């Protein structure tokens, strides 16, 4: 993990509130794995860096690039969205353990909303390893859909659903997954709103499926010092999403997992 000043080589709005950025990583020598994230300096009077997942690592116009996809929410992400091609972004990372891709031949992925971002690079990596990969992507409605065509272009078997049925299958991604359940995969990977992941984990536990969930908590330091990202583990200890995660495996995090100071 190190600090880098990366040049932006492409920016693109995928939706009015979702920006995709490609950053030149020619100078980055360490491996960047699916499920890891970077702490990004936003500028202005924002003091804390903002955690953003690795959405992809690929090649653009002959250069290796890191792709970040971010939702414009508050002050920090607004400032990031104003950056232009040629600007540099100060990032610290890569942080986190990332997804484990070992010993899997057939897997299912369930992503919801912004949680589809880290699953994109995971899908690419799984397909490159020859793993049979089914992807279930859920969104609130048609207007909230992004990245799905790019998942398909990777060659994955993709099912898109919307809560209100305005596009694709109707219903929550977990219910669409249950309706298309073809038996136990070697691993079920999930990332999305906590309420969605709770239902995915409950189904995985019920069926005895091994799973990996990528959790999102508010973060301060990013390396285990401030406790802002604490979550409750099943053995009653406290885990740190930044240091011990963000990916947690079967039976690690207590149901829900949130601690009191996160509301
Ligand atoms: C490991 C990890 C990976 C992430 N990956 C991505 C990603 O790939 N793309 C992306 O757009 N966002 C991602 N996030 C969320 C992102 O970090 C926050 O949206 C961002 O920090 C908000 O900063 P802001 O200054 O714009 O908003 P703030 O002014 O800090 O907050 C604006 C709103 O965002 C909410 N918010 C702030 N932080 C979080 C958070 N961590 N989770 C949920 N809501 C939050 C606040 O409650 C508030 O409602 C990730 C978070 C974590 C912990
Ligand atoms: S963000 Fe500070 S301990 Fe995790």
């Amino acid at each position: 993990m190190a600090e880098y000043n990366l040049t932006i080589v492409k920016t693109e709005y995928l939706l009015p509130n979702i920006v995709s950025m490609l950053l030149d990583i020619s100078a980055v020598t360490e491996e960047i794995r699916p499920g890891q994230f970077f702490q990004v300096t936003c500028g202005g009077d924002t003091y804390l860096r903002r955690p953003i997942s690795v959405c992809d690592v690929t090649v653009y116009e002959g250069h290796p690039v890191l792709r970040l996809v971010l939702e414009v929410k508050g002050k920090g992400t607004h400032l990031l969205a104003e950056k232009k091609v040629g600007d540099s972004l100060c990032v610290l990372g890569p942080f986190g353990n990332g997804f484990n891709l070992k010993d899997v031949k057939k897997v299912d992925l369930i992503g919801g909303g912004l949680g589809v971002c880290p699953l994109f690079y995971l899908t690419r990596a799984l397909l490159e390893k020859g793993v049979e990969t089914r992807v279930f992507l859920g969104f609130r409605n048609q207007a909230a859909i992004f990245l799905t065509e790019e998942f398909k272009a990777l060659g994955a078997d993709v099912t898109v659903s919307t809560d209100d049925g305005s596009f694709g299958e109707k219903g929550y991604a977990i219910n669409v997954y249950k309706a298309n359940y073809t038996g136990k995969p070697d691993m079920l990977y999930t990332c999305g709103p906590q309420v969605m992941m709770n239902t995915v984990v409950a189904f995985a536990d019920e069926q005895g499926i091994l799973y990996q969930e990528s959790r999102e908590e508010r973060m301060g330091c990013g390396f285990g010092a401030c406790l802002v990202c604490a979550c409750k583990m099943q053995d009653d200890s406290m885990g740190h999403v930044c240091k011990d995660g963000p990916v947690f495996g079967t039976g690690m995090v207590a149901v829900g997992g949130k601690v009191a100071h996160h509301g």
Side-chain angles (χ1 to χ4, degrees):
M1 187 254 292
E3 187 177 71
Y4 300 98
N5 285 307
L6 303 178
T7 305
I8 300 173
V9 292
K10 187 176 178 192
T11 64
E12 179 189 8
Y13 273 86
L14 305 181
L15 290 178
N17 62 334
I18 306 267
V19 185
S20 166
M21 278 183 187
L22 297 184
L23 306 164
D24 188 328
I25 50 168
S26 305
V28 178
T29 48
E30 56 198 307
E31 189 193 1
I32 303 172
R33 298 194 311 276
Q36 292 189 300
F37 64 96
F38 281 86
Q39 290 272 60
V40 183
T41 302
C42 303
D45 63 355
T46 57
Y47 170 67
L48 292 173
R49 294 171 188 256
R50 304 303 197 255
I52 303 291
S53 305
V54 173
C55 176
D56 201 10
V57 174
T58 183
V59 174
Y60 177 73
E61 293 183 343
H63 298 284
V65 288
L66 164 68
R67 185 181 194 184
L68 303 179
V69 170
L70 52 102
E71 181 182 20
V72 184
K73 264 191 166 173
K75 202 187 267 185
T77 46
H78 267 103
L79 286 163
L80 290 179
E82 285 170 4
K83 304 268 183 196
K84 305 262 179 306
V85 170
D87 289 350
S88 87
L89 215 58
C90 180
V91 305
L92 193 61
F95 281 98
N97 51 0
F99 292 105
N100 186 342
L101 285 73
K102 284 198 192 120
D103 304 324
V104 293
K105 291 198 168 55
K106 179 176 174 288
V107 302
D108 293 334
L109 279 62
I110 305 179
L114 215 54
V116 307
C117 298
L119 298 187
F120 187 77
Y121 186 31
L122 173 64
T123 301
R124 182 193 287 287
L126 287 163
L127 291 170
E128 279 172 5
K129 273 171 60 94
V131 177
E132 200 182 312
T133 306
R134 295 195 311 160
V135 184
F136 294 82
L137 303 173
F139 300 88
R140 275 192 318 279
N141 53 41
Q142 185 168 17
I145 293 176
F146 66 101
L147 275 186
T148 53
E149 291 306 313
E150 294 189 58
F151 271 93
K152 288 178 191 163
L154 290 177
D157 173 353
V158 181
T159 303
V160 180
S161 58
T162 49
D163 300 350
D164 66 358
S166 52
F167 186 89
E169 308 248 347
K170 182 176 181 179
Y172 294 135
I174 179 62
N175 293 336
V176 173
Y177 176 65
K178 285 180 188 173
N180 289 277
Y181 190 59
T182 50
K184 252 163 79 165
D186 298 330
M187 188 63 70
L188 178 57
Y189 299 95
T190 185
C191 185
Q194 196 52 55
V195 59
M196 183 204 91
M197 290 203 293
N198 292 347
T199 59
V200 172
V201 165
F203 181 68
D205 282 341
E206 186 189 299
Q207 299 290 325
I209 308 168
L210 292 176
Y211 65 85
Q212 293 177 39
E213 53 169 334
S214 180
R215 298 181 65 91
E216 215 189 82
E217 296 288 347
R218 294 216 66 162
M219 286 190 187
C221 66
F223 43 79
C226 71
L227 308 185
V228 167
C229 69
C231 70
K232 194 157 187 258
M233 309 303 282
Q234 282 199 3
D235 64 1
D236 274 345
S237 66
M238 284 297 168
H240 299 104
V241 173
C242 66
K243 183 166 67 75
D244 308 321
V247 179
F248 293 91
T250 305
M252 291 178 76
V253 179
V255 176
K258 288 221 175 253
V259 292
H261 63 267
H262 294 122

